[in-house]
Amino acid sequence: MERLCHRFRIAPGTEEEYVRRHVEIWPEMVVAMKEAGYGNYTLFRRGLEVIGYCECEPDVATCQARFAELGVGERWGAYMEGMVLDLVDENGQLVRYEEDWHLD
């Protein structure tokens, strides 16, 4: 299992809608995430800044590949278009944090 921590921002003025869409997250999105191997997925928000954390089985790359095959993420991305900012870097990769330490 590999842990993933990433960050992004949401557009100013979209806070309430962003929260509403996550309270009402699509059931097929949850199923696809679990099928892809994501677990213990949590989003933390402070103002416009969001930190995401999850556990990927067996690793991040495998989960991302499986999830992409399922197609739900692409539709979710379109649904969140204009609301989510700076999710990926100039190479199209998630803006990730490196894990330096962990306590079980």
Side-chain angles (χ1 to χ4, degrees), residues 11-60:
T14 67
E15 299 91 334
E16 287 184 27
E17 182 64 14
Y18 172 85
V19 170
R20 185 191 69 76
R21 290 183 187 191
H22 283 82
V23 168
E24 300 172 359
I25 195 165
W26 302 339
E28 62 266 31
M29 177 69 138
V30 173
V31 169
M33 291 174 77
K34 289 180 180 180
E35 285 181 10
Y38 293 110
N40 196 23
Y41 210 125
T42 306
L43 297 174
F44 299 91
R45 185 178 59 84
R46 181 176 184 185
L48 302 176
E49 297 177 35
V50 180
I51 302 290
Y53 168 83
C54 65
E55 296 167 352
C56 303
E57 187 61 48
D59 55 50
V60 174

Side-chain angles (χ1 to χ4, degrees), residues 39-100:
N40 196 23
Y41 210 125
T42 306
L43 297 174
F44 299 91
R45 185 178 59 84
R46 181 176 184 185
L48 302 176
E49 297 177 35
V50 180
I51 302 290
Y53 168 83
C54 65
E55 296 167 352
C56 303
E57 187 61 48
D59 55 50
V60 174
T62 302
C63 287
Q64 288 176 329
R66 289 176 185 159
F67 189 67
E69 290 174 6
L70 297 170
V72 178
E74 188 174 321
R75 288 189 297 121
W76 181 263
Y79 180 56
M80 300 300 286
E81 183 78 28
M83 187 176 299
V84 173
L85 308 172
D86 303 329
L87 180 65
V88 296
D89 64 17
E90 61 278 355
N91 298 314
Q93 302 298 310
L94 278 178
V95 179
R96 294 175 59 172
Y97 287 87
E98 295 298 321
E99 181 178 335
D100 290 329

